[in-house]
């Protein structure tokens, strides 16, 4: 079962991973009210598939009127065979860098696989093919688990600078969420490093 973003993000928040303030709405007028609550925002189609941005399903808005207009354009769209019936109006973040992070079931090792890349916001298949040096992955022994210390060892060689510690901590929390929710896949893309040095999950894909 694939969960839409607005339903998946609370799982991250429960594990201690920051997510932007957002409101799930189903009518354009509610999008305007949501914008008043969060300020400059992103209006995002809620469908259980990726590449919403390329399909025109993600727009920015600085005023309630712009949020309502964006909602009117997005609601009812067809994205990869899914009709958009709801949208997420979410506060915009001060993005410095974008990362990719995921824990997934690995058929080869028959256990969890953790993946992290410094190239967030892209299809991970493209990153693996074009810049494999910016992608790290490791299998997890479920008897030992996966924590921040293990994540630091995995991240060796990546250009993370001062962000390495908070990235490692977040990967440990992501694994906890993966285990707690019996996930097949729990993916954050992008995982944003903000101006104050914190990490925020700007998107989440949860498959159970």
């Amino acid at each position: 079962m694939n969960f839409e973003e607005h339903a998946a993000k609370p799982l991250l928040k429960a594990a201690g991973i920051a997510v932007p303030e957002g409101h799930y709405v189903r009518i354009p007028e509610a999008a305007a009210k949501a914008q008043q609550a969060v300020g400059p925002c992103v209006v995002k189609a809620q469908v259980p598939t990726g590449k919403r941005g390329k399909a025109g399903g993600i727009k920015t808005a600085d005023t309630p009127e712009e949020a309502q207009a964006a909602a009117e354009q997005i609601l009812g769209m067809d994205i990869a065979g899914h009709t958009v019936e709801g949208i997420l109006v979410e506060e915009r973040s001060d993005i410095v860098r974008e990362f990719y992070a995921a824990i997934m079931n690995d058929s080869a090792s028959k256990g969890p696989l953790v993946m992290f890349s410094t190239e967030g916001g892209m299809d991970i298949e493209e990153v693996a093919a074009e810049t494999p040096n910016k992608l790290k992955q490791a299998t997890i022994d479920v008897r030992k688990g996966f924590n921040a210390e293990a994540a630091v060892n995995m991240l060796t060689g990546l250009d993370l600078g001062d962000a390495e510690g908070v990235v490692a901590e977040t990967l440990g929390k992501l694994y906890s969420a993966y285990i707690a929710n019996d996930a097949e896949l729990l993916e954050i893309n992008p995982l944003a490093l903000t101006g104050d040095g914190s990490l925020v999950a700007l998107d989440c894909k949860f498959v159970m």
Side-chain angles (χ1 to χ4, degrees):
M1 178 183 293
N2 292 341
F3 286 75
E4 294 176 355
E5 175 189 4
H6 71 94
K9 278 183 171 173
L11 306 181
L12 300 181
K13 188 174 182 179
I17 298 173
V19 299
E21 179 184 353
H23 300 268
Y24 176 71
V25 301
R26 297 172 66 91
I27 59 173
E29 292 78 11
K33 291 182 179 180
Q35 193 284 333
Q36 290 177 316
V38 303
C41 65
V42 184
V43 181
K44 309 165 80 174
Q46 295 298 285
V47 287
T49 186
K51 300 180 180 176
R52 293 169 296 167
K54 293 180 180 179
I58 299 177
K59 301 182 184 297
T60 59
D62 294 318
T63 66
E65 293 77 15
E66 290 180 359
Q68 181 168 334
E72 289 171 348
Q73 294 173 4
I74 294 173
L75 287 167
M77 288 180 62
D78 181 280
I79 300 179
H82 300 279
T83 301
V84 180
E85 298 180 347
I87 55 175
L88 181 63
V89 180
E90 193 170 73
E91 67 177 332
R92 291 213 295 269
S93 299
D94 175 24
I95 303 171
V96 175
R97 295 182 69 181
E98 292 185 343
F99 304 132
Y100 171 94
I103 312 284
M104 65 190 70
N105 291 355
D106 178 39
S107 58
S109 66
K110 302 190 185 306
L113 175 73
V114 56
M115 299 180 68
F116 179 83
S117 174
T118 53
E119 299 297 300
M122 297 176 58
D123 290 337
I124 197 62
E125 293 83 2
E126 292 182 18
V127 176
E130 298 174 8
T131 54
N133 60 309
K134 296 182 179 181
L135 172 65
K136 294 279 188 173
Q137 59 186 36
T139 55
I140 299 172
D141 184 337
V142 294
R143 295 167 296 182
K144 297 180 180 179
F146 185 79
N147 56 23
E149 182 179 355
V152 167
N153 294 331
M154 188 192 87
L155 297 171
T156 300
L158 293 179
D159 179 26
L160 291 174
D162 294 339
E164 182 177 86
V166 68
V167 167
E169 182 181 351
T170 299
L171 288 177
K173 292 176 178 177
L174 187 63
Y175 179 69
S176 295
Y178 165 90
I179 292 296
N181 294 284
D182 194 25
E184 178 180 325
L185 167 68
L186 194 54
E187 175 187 85
I188 304 173
N189 188 26
L191 175 64
L193 178 67
T194 62
D196 63 4
S198 60
L199 289 177
V200 180
L202 298 189
D203 196 2
C204 181
K205 182 177 182 180
F206 171 47
V207 181
M208 183 176 69

